[in-house]
Amino acid sequence: MSTPNNDNLVPVDDAEQQLVAYLDGELTDDDRIAVEARLADDFDYRQRLQRLERAWDMLDTLPRVEASESFVHTTVEMISVAASQELETIQDQQQSRKWRVLAITLAASLVAAVAGFGWISYSASSENQQLLTELPLIENMDKYQKVDEVEFLEQLRNEGLFVSEVDDGA
Amino acid sequence: MSITESTAKRYELQDPDVRLMLEVRDDNAAAFEELMLRYQNRLINLMHHLMGRRDQAEDLAQEVFLRVYRSRKSYKPGSKFSTWLYTIANNVASNARRSMARRKEIHIDGGDEGGLGPANPLERIAKAASGQMPARVIDRAEMGEVVRLAMETLNDRQRMAVLLSKFEEMSYADIATTMGMSVEAIKSLLSRARANLKVALEPYLEQGARPPAE
């Protein structure tokens, strides 16, 4: 359908705009009283009102159409199809939600396993490190246990008795 | 814009069609059918006068009902039901026009009623008026065709506003909501539309020809 692009095909002054709003019952009380006062005094203004009103009334002759007999039927069919698609979409969403939950659970288990392995490895290696550090002590544990006082051992160390052992241990 | 609970409640109390739509929201098929029966002819006529083609009018009305169905779950009454429905109809019609323009399938002659000669509606009205416009009471079908041509002189927005005002008796505020415009803009739009109609129908107004009674 061809459509004029311009809203402004016919210039409309304020008076005419007021007349249209008056006919449509859209004026405030004050504006309505002002329009009615002018209509009572101004013949041309009254003529304009009548022409607008008659042109408006002519719209009643526009042909009216009624829905075809099949309209409701075909519309209901369309809605049924839409409802089925909606149901399928919901089912798909539920299915994909299940898969998502499963994937998240597996990923979480994997992360927990890796973290657990890492922690155990770390713990084991730190225990070994401690054993290595304390190896000279462990190797001489029998000798150290025969001594009653730590002060005596310190005295022996100060006299240089353990120098070769410490060096060997290091 | 969010709709407050009090607004929704007010429209639910005032408008029986809103109550039906709320039942549709709860998946009541009978309520949907009732709404369809209430509005099908009004929607088809709106689309017919808006787009100019009867077959397309039914398709577009169906599209409107389909959108109503699809948006039922998010429906919250923020206006009269008819205002909400015609807002959807306005969007559907706008999309259809854009789609037609893209496909370059614009029907210059206005549709399925057949061509009447000049492509310009004003020229066609003038031709019709000069050739067959003695001071006689023309028959209703003839007058209907003249008025249809006069409606073609309006642009899309003017035509929509006129149809909502004339046949749906909507207030400027409701038309403004439907068309996404201000009330002042609707006032201006309708006054221009009515002035354009008056000019297009001037030969008939001048000679005192009146539309015959039904």
Side-chain angles (χ1 to χ4, degrees):
Chain A
M1 174 177 281
S2 64
T3 301
N5 291 324
N6 191 356
D7 277 354
N8 230 345
L9 285 179
V10 177
V12 178
D13 57 28
D14 287 346
E16 188 131 319
Q17 194 162 307
Q18 289 296 84
L19 279 178
V20 169
Y22 173 73
L23 287 171
D24 289 338
E26 294 276 353
L27 287 182
T28 61
D29 284 347
D30 288 347
D31 287 344
R32 182 178 52 77
I33 289 165
V35 167
E36 284 173 351
R38 185 171 170 189
L39 282 171
D41 295 339
D42 186 338
F43 177 75
D44 288 341
Y45 199 53
R46 250 191 338 267
Q47 289 276 85
R48 286 167 76 178
L49 177 82
Q50 285 167 1
R51 282 164 186 264
L52 282 170
E53 204 168 14
R54 276 160 59 191
W56 195 243
D57 289 344
M58 281 183 177
L59 296 184
D60 289 328
T61 62
L62 277 171
R64 308 292 293 166
V65 292
E66 295 210 338
S68 63
E69 284 181 12
S70 62
F71 182 81
V72 171
H73 179 69
T74 51
T75 308
V76 167
E77 268 185 2
M78 277 176 67
I79 303 291
S80 302
V81 171
S84 306
Q85 287 171 341
E86 204 174 76
L87 192 64
E88 270 178 31
T89 308
I90 290 169
Q91 284 171 341
D92 287 350
Q93 282 171 347
Q94 283 174 343
Q95 193 67 25
S96 80
R97 194 176 302 133
K98 274 184 194 167
W99 281 110
R100 259 203 314 275
V101 168
L102 187 64
I104 288 168
T105 308
L106 283 175
S109 306
L110 191 65
V111 167
V114 168
F117 178 77
W119 184 77
I120 288 166
S121 300
Y122 173 77
S123 302
S125 71
S126 67
E127 277 176 16
N128 290 340
Q129 189 62 42
Q130 194 178 1
L131 285 173
L132 274 176
T133 308
E134 295 176 357
L135 185 61
L137 175 70
I138 295 165
E139 283 175 341
N140 295 298
M141 187 58 85
D142 292 342
K143 294 176 189 169
Y144 296 148
Q145 279 177 337
K146 290 174 184 166
V147 179
D148 290 334
E149 293 177 343
V150 174
E151 288 78 14
F152 176 69
L153 282 175
E154 280 178 351
Q155 191 184 345
L156 291 177
R157 186 183 64 185
N158 292 341
E159 288 171 5
L161 188 67
F162 299 134
V163 169
S164 61
E165 289 179 14
V166 169
D167 286 348
D168 288 349
Chain B
M1 194 170 65
S2 65
I3 298 162
T4 62
E5 287 301 325
S6 61
T7 303
K9 200 72 200 165
R10 181 161 51 88
Y11 282 112
E12 186 181 345
L13 289 171
Q14 285 175 354
D15 187 346
D17 294 342
V18 163
R19 292 197 289 277
L20 273 176
M21 187 59 211
L22 289 171
E23 288 183 39
V24 173
R25 189 179 66 180
D26 298 334
D27 292 323
N28 182 336
F32 187 78
E33 198 173 333
E34 176 62 31
L35 274 179
M36 216 161 57
L37 289 171
R38 285 187 191 185
Y39 283 93
Q40 58 181 10
N41 286 337
R42 290 159 68 176
L43 263 181
I44 290 170
N45 272 295
L46 178 82
M47 291 301 188
H48 183 212
H49 296 314
L50 214 49
M51 309 300 288
R53 291 171 55 187
R54 165 68 196 260
D55 56 338
Q56 195 183 19
E58 289 213 351
D59 290 347
L60 293 177
Q62 281 181 333
E63 173 68 21
V64 172
F65 284 124
L66 190 61
R67 288 197 187 193
V68 167
Y69 176 79
R70 283 189 170 142
S71 51
R72 72 194 186 286
K73 289 294 176 190
S74 58
Y75 177 72
K76 194 168 185 186
S79 64
K80 284 192 273 188
F81 173 77
S82 58
T83 304
W84 182 71
L85 183 75
Y86 290 120
T87 304
I88 296 174
N90 188 41
N91 290 337
V92 167
S94 298
N95 289 346
R97 274 193 295 263
R98 271 197 294 274
S99 167
M100 281 170 70
R102 272 200 299 274
R103 293 199 310 262
K104 299 187 187 306
E105 285 181 3
I106 298 171
H107 292 249
I108 302 298
D109 67 2
D112 55 1
E113 279 79 8
L116 286 177
N120 184 327
L122 275 174
E123 283 177 34
R124 282 153 61 187
I125 293 172
K127 189 182 175 194
S130 63
Q132 49 179 253
M133 200 42 225
R136 65 182 174 91
V137 175
I138 62 174
D139 69 41
R140 191 176 178 85
E142 215 176 314
M143 178 62 86
E145 181 60 14
V146 169
V147 174
R148 193 182 66 76
L149 291 171
M151 284 289 283
E152 277 189 40
T153 66
L154 308 183
N155 68 25
D156 296 331
R157 288 193 305 178
Q158 288 177 348
R159 203 178 303 130
M160 183 69 173
V162 163
L163 292 170
L164 293 177
S165 174
K166 174 70 184 176
F167 298 112
E168 297 304 322
E169 298 177 353
M170 285 170 74
S171 66
Y172 285 8
D174 285 344
I175 297 172
T177 303
T178 299
M179 297 180 68
M181 297 169 75
S182 69
V183 172
E184 272 308 303
I186 292 299
K187 186 177 178 185
S188 168
L189 188 71
L190 271 172
S191 63
R192 287 184 201 292
R194 287 176 76 146
N196 289 338
L197 283 174
K198 189 182 71 174
V199 168
L201 296 169
E202 198 72 58
Y204 295 85
L205 297 171
E206 283 291 342
Q207 298 183 36
R210 287 173 182 278
E214 268 184 292

Short mmCIF file of all heavy atoms in Angstrom, two decimals, chain A residues 4-13, chain B residues 155 157-158 188-189 192-193 196:
data_model
loop_
_atom_site.label_atom_id
_atom_site.label_comp_id
_atom_site.label_asym_id
_atom_site.label_seq_id
_atom_site.Cartn_x
_atom_site.Cartn_y
_atom_site.Cartn_z
N PRO A 4 1.80 8.00 2.16
CA PRO A 4 2.44 9.31 2.17
C PRO A 4 3.40 9.39 3.34
O PRO A 4 3.11 8.94 4.43
CB PRO A 4 1.26 10.28 2.37
CG PRO A 4 0.04 9.49 2.05
CD PRO A 4 0.37 8.08 2.36
N ASN A 5 4.57 9.95 3.09
CA ASN A 5 5.58 9.97 4.14
C ASN A 5 5.39 11.11 5.12
O ASN A 5 5.86 11.08 6.23
CB ASN A 5 6.97 10.08 3.51
CG ASN A 5 7.32 8.80 2.80
OD1 ASN A 5 6.96 7.74 3.25
ND2 ASN A 5 7.98 8.91 1.66
N ASN A 6 4.71 12.14 4.67
CA ASN A 6 4.66 13.35 5.47
C ASN A 6 3.39 13.40 6.30
O ASN A 6 2.29 13.27 5.78
CB ASN A 6 4.72 14.53 4.50
CG ASN A 6 4.94 15.83 5.23
OD1 ASN A 6 4.98 15.85 6.45
ND2 ASN A 6 5.08 16.89 4.47
N ASP A 7 3.55 13.62 7.62
CA ASP A 7 2.37 13.79 8.46
C ASP A 7 1.64 15.08 8.13
O ASP A 7 0.50 15.28 8.48
CB ASP A 7 2.82 13.86 9.94
CG ASP A 7 3.01 12.47 10.52
OD1 ASP A 7 2.69 11.50 9.82
OD2 ASP A 7 3.47 12.39 11.66
N ASN A 8 2.34 15.92 7.43
CA ASN A 8 1.90 17.31 7.31
C ASN A 8 1.25 17.60 5.97
O ASN A 8 1.46 18.67 5.42
CB ASN A 8 3.15 18.19 7.48
CG ASN A 8 2.89 19.26 8.50
OD1 ASN A 8 1.74 19.50 8.85
ND2 ASN A 8 3.95 19.89 8.94
N LEU A 9 0.52 16.64 5.43
CA LEU A 9 -0.06 16.86 4.10
C LEU A 9 -0.93 18.10 4.09
O LEU A 9 -0.92 18.87 3.15
CB LEU A 9 -0.91 15.64 3.71
CG LEU A 9 -0.15 14.38 3.29
CD1 LEU A 9 -1.12 13.28 2.97
CD2 LEU A 9 0.77 14.66 2.14
N VAL A 10 -1.69 18.27 5.11
CA VAL A 10 -2.56 19.44 5.21
C VAL A 10 -2.16 20.22 6.45
O VAL A 10 -2.09 19.65 7.53
CB VAL A 10 -4.03 18.99 5.34
CG1 VAL A 10 -4.93 20.20 5.50
CG2 VAL A 10 -4.44 18.16 4.14
N PRO A 11 -1.85 21.51 6.29
CA PRO A 11 -1.48 22.26 7.48
C PRO A 11 -2.65 22.33 8.46
O PRO A 11 -3.81 22.49 8.05
CB PRO A 11 -1.13 23.66 6.94
CG PRO A 11 -1.54 23.69 5.53
CD PRO A 11 -1.83 22.30 5.07
N VAL A 12 -2.35 22.15 9.71
CA VAL A 12 -3.43 22.17 10.71
C VAL A 12 -3.13 23.28 11.71
O VAL A 12 -2.06 23.30 12.31
CB VAL A 12 -3.48 20.82 11.46
CG1 VAL A 12 -4.56 20.86 12.53
CG2 VAL A 12 -3.76 19.70 10.48
N ASP A 13 -4.08 24.19 11.83
CA ASP A 13 -3.84 25.25 12.80
C ASP A 13 -4.38 24.82 14.17
O ASP A 13 -5.05 23.80 14.32
CB ASP A 13 -4.46 26.58 12.34
CG ASP A 13 -5.95 26.44 12.09
OD1 ASP A 13 -6.58 25.59 12.74
OD2 ASP A 13 -6.49 27.18 11.26
N ASN B 155 -0.86 8.58 6.14
CA ASN B 155 0.30 7.71 6.33
C ASN B 155 -0.05 6.63 7.36
O ASN B 155 -1.14 6.64 7.95
CB ASN B 155 1.56 8.50 6.70
CG ASN B 155 1.47 9.13 8.06
OD1 ASN B 155 0.74 8.66 8.93
ND2 ASN B 155 2.20 10.21 8.27
N ARG B 157 0.87 5.87 10.41
CA ARG B 157 0.56 6.24 11.80
C ARG B 157 -0.79 6.95 11.89
O ARG B 157 -1.56 6.71 12.82
CB ARG B 157 1.66 7.15 12.36
CG ARG B 157 2.94 6.38 12.64
CD ARG B 157 3.90 7.17 13.46
NE ARG B 157 4.18 8.49 12.84
CZ ARG B 157 4.96 9.40 13.37
NH1 ARG B 157 5.54 9.17 14.53
NH2 ARG B 157 5.18 10.55 12.77
N GLN B 158 -1.06 7.82 10.92
CA GLN B 158 -2.35 8.51 10.93
C GLN B 158 -3.49 7.50 10.78
O GLN B 158 -4.50 7.58 11.48
CB GLN B 158 -2.42 9.52 9.78
CG GLN B 158 -1.55 10.75 9.99
CD GLN B 158 -1.59 11.69 8.81
OE1 GLN B 158 -2.08 11.33 7.73
NE2 GLN B 158 -1.08 12.89 8.99
N SER B 188 -2.04 15.85 17.87
CA SER B 188 -1.59 16.48 16.63
C SER B 188 -1.78 15.53 15.43
O SER B 188 -2.27 15.92 14.38
CB SER B 188 -0.12 16.85 16.80
OG SER B 188 0.44 17.20 15.58
N LEU B 189 -1.43 14.26 15.66
CA LEU B 189 -1.54 13.25 14.58
C LEU B 189 -2.99 13.11 14.12
O LEU B 189 -3.28 13.09 12.92
CB LEU B 189 -1.03 11.91 15.12
CG LEU B 189 -0.87 10.76 14.13
CD1 LEU B 189 0.31 11.02 13.20
CD2 LEU B 189 -0.62 9.45 14.88
N ARG B 192 -4.28 16.18 12.19
CA ARG B 192 -3.79 16.18 10.80
C ARG B 192 -4.51 15.12 9.98
O ARG B 192 -4.87 15.35 8.82
CB ARG B 192 -2.29 15.90 10.77
CG ARG B 192 -1.46 17.04 11.24
CD ARG B 192 0.03 16.78 11.09
NE ARG B 192 0.78 17.65 11.97
CZ ARG B 192 0.88 18.96 11.85
NH1 ARG B 192 0.25 19.57 10.85
NH2 ARG B 192 1.57 19.69 12.70
N ALA B 193 -4.70 13.96 10.57
CA ALA B 193 -5.38 12.88 9.86
C ALA B 193 -6.80 13.32 9.47
O ALA B 193 -7.24 13.10 8.34
CB ALA B 193 -5.42 11.63 10.72
N ASN B 196 -6.72 15.83 6.76
CA ASN B 196 -6.43 15.18 5.47
C ASN B 196 -7.66 14.48 4.91
O ASN B 196 -7.94 14.54 3.71
CB ASN B 196 -5.30 14.16 5.63
CG ASN B 196 -3.95 14.81 5.86
OD1 ASN B 196 -3.75 15.97 5.51
ND2 ASN B 196 -3.03 14.09 6.47
#
